[in-house]
Amino acid sequence: MAAEPTAQESRSRDLDKLLLRPGNLVGPTFEPGPALRDDLKEYGRVLVVGAGGLGCELLKDLALSGFRKLEVIDMDRIEVSNLNRQFLFRLEDVGKPKAEVAAKRVIERVSGVNIVPHFCRIEDKELEFYSKFSIIALGLDSIEARSYINSVACSFLEYDSDDSALEETIKPMVDGGTEGFQGHARVIVPGVTPCFECTIWLFPPQVKFPLCTLAETPRTAAHCIEYAHLIKWDEVHSGKAFDPDDPEHMKWVYNEATKRAELFGIPGVTYSLTQGVVKNIIPAIASTNAIISAACALETLKILSGCSKTLSNYLTYNGAEGLHTKVTEFVKDKDCLVCGPGVLIQLDTSITLEKFIDLLKDHPKLLLSKASITHRGKSLYMQAPPVLEEMTRSNLSIPLFDLIGKIPKDVVHATGTTTKNDKKTSCLRKLRVVFKGVDGIADMDTAGET
């Protein structure tokens, strides 16, 4: 009589069917066998960005899919309103960092998995941090955060002389998103498939309210919240920027919105709604999160193992009336500023780093302010934190040509802020700098370039 399978064998049974057997839809590099399963455990490093409703599901699914080296990054703390759909959290966890609690709960339930939490902003991490991962899985509810991580992943991308992406520099991403009973899962392979920026038009513009309505005739709870956010804040805190990630700032807006709602007899202002309006947070349903997370986890497994062809390249799900799924293959934008070869900038060898940073402010394709500059992982100048700014300040007076080792042409990365749809956002741009008159490099035909 055959021995009963152990709990671990039972758990990996379906996974083994994918990794241990050949098939007709596998990738070109797929080699089935126990060695592949062991390699995923040993070398497959996955970063989960976001530990909310979708992020919790992703952590759980990836751990149960055989990945043993996971990390998760999230800047938020747990709130009572999270508990109805973010299943890793309990009432006693309210106020604690999401990333830390989510990692702890999955480690408790899945034996052998190691999850490192990071309670911080995604912008606080250096490029070197993101470079160590095999793939990045996104469980975000913000367009700005997606755009930033997309630019980070694309910054590692290098091209050959024919402007073809070098495979060893590709940092793949899997992105999921949900809104009510709808959701999407997409595969982003920089340089091969369209990146997030290539298809930014897929996201509808944020709803904007006329200021006259907010100031004079509010009719909804959202009007009261936006009045406190856009008008009252500036009146009371003249010159002080509103930080949507500061709990004290958000609480102030909520209190002011409540007062205004009471004045006009408008119900419905809550703290969670205030967060949703100010930060443009979309509603979430647990079952939709689970479905989209499953699709994302499967694509992650397919990309790293080659056990099947990957999604091509955008899946949409609609469960509002019945169930409908569709896969659409979008096309890469060859002129994309983010996943393309980079913005070409011609410079004299005498241009100092400070002058170079000033040029980025007025460059028609960049309009990048408060830029921090890195070259091959080395910080040439950092705007923040103050200790790094002080350490790198002396480089501002040195020619960029000297700082990068007098190389005639190379790639540098600039991180700063740009304005998009009247809103300042963090971004990272890849810049191809070419120094004129060095090693026979003559002026190039770069219309519109600096």
Side-chain angles (χ1 to χ4, degrees), residues 155-434:
S155 72
F156 301 114
L157 187 63
E158 296 180 12
Y159 286 81
D160 60 20
S161 57
D162 296 323
D163 280 349
S164 297
L166 297 175
E167 185 176 352
E168 63 272 18
T169 66
I170 294 175
K171 182 77 62 181
M173 292 178 289
V174 173
D175 170 51
T178 67
E179 181 175 359
F181 289 102
Q182 299 176 338
H184 78 264
R186 67 185 300 182
V187 170
I188 299 176
V189 183
V192 180
T193 70
C195 76
F196 181 78
E197 206 69 25
C198 290
T199 53
I200 192 73
W201 50 267
L202 285 170
F203 292 85
Q206 186 174 350
V207 176
K208 295 182 178 180
F209 303 109
L211 289 180
C212 59
T213 299
L214 302 182
E216 299 172 10
T217 55
R219 297 184 297 275
T220 67
H223 289 164
C224 298
I225 293 167
E226 285 290 53
Y227 171 82
H229 171 218
L230 299 176
I231 298 176
K232 193 68 176 179
W233 175 272
D234 288 335
E235 290 179 358
V236 177
H237 307 87
S238 56
K240 183 178 181 180
F242 176 79
D243 183 359
D245 298 317
D246 187 323
E248 292 301 319
H249 290 198
M250 190 66 70
K251 186 177 180 181
W252 187 92
V253 170
Y254 165 64
N255 290 335
E256 290 298 317
T258 301
K259 294 176 186 177
R260 188 160 180 82
E262 291 174 353
L263 180 64
F264 286 88
I266 298 173
V269 174
T270 64
Y271 185 75
S272 60
L273 179 63
T274 301
Q275 287 183 304
V277 172
V278 173
K279 300 176 73 172
N280 194 29
I281 296 175
I282 52 182
I285 293 176
S287 57
T288 310
N289 285 336
I291 292 168
I292 296 302
S293 172
C296 291
L298 180 59
E299 293 305 316
T300 301
L301 179 66
K302 286 155 64 174
I303 290 172
L304 293 187
S305 70
C307 66
S308 180
K309 293 180 179 178
T310 59
L311 184 71
S312 298
N313 43 47
Y314 194 100
L315 177 143
T316 54
Y317 162 82
N318 190 335
E321 298 180 5
L323 187 151
H324 176 75
T325 61
K326 180 181 179 181
V327 175
T328 304
E329 184 170 6
F330 290 107
V331 178
K332 179 179 178 293
D333 180 1
K334 60 183 179 63
D335 297 321
C336 179
L337 291 178
V338 179
C339 67
V343 178
L344 179 63
I345 299 179
Q346 281 198 96
L347 299 170
D348 292 322
T349 56
S350 60
I351 291 289
T352 64
L353 179 59
E354 184 173 23
K355 179 63 175 176
F356 175 67
I357 292 173
D358 288 339
L359 289 173
L360 302 182
K361 297 178 184 177
D362 302 320
H363 192 288
K365 289 187 176 181
L366 298 171
L367 301 176
L368 197 63
S369 61
K370 296 183 179 180
S372 297
I373 307 297
T374 60
H375 174 249
R376 300 191 178 186
K378 179 183 178 182
S379 298
L380 301 185
Y381 178 70
M382 301 298 291
Q383 296 277 356
V387 63
L388 285 182
E389 193 282 330
E390 184 177 356
M391 289 173 59
T392 57
R393 190 184 304 159
S394 59
N395 287 340
L396 289 173
S397 60
I398 302 175
L400 179 62
F401 182 63
D402 294 343
L403 289 172
I404 67 173
K406 298 185 177 181
I407 300 172
K409 54 183 179 180
D410 208 348
V411 173
V412 299
H413 293 99
T415 305
T417 58
T418 189
T419 301
K420 184 182 295 184
N421 297 326
D422 298 325
K423 186 175 184 180
K424 288 187 176 181
T425 59
S426 300
C427 66
L428 187 152
R429 292 292 182 260
K430 181 166 47 181
L431 311 174
R432 292 188 295 166
V433 293
V434 176

Side-chain angles (χ1 to χ4, degrees), residues 89 152 272 276:
F89 307 142
V152 167
S272 60

Side-chain angles (χ1 to χ4, degrees), residues 18-57:
L18 292 174
L19 300 180
L20 306 185
R21 305 190 304 190
N24 296 323
L25 299 177
V26 299
T29 61
F30 179 65
E31 295 182 6
L36 173 61
R37 181 180 58 194
D38 295 340
D39 284 347
L40 284 178
K41 295 178 181 178
E42 182 68 24
Y43 304 110
R45 303 189 67 170
V46 184
L47 173 65
V48 176
V49 184
L54 188 56
C56 285
E57 290 282 354

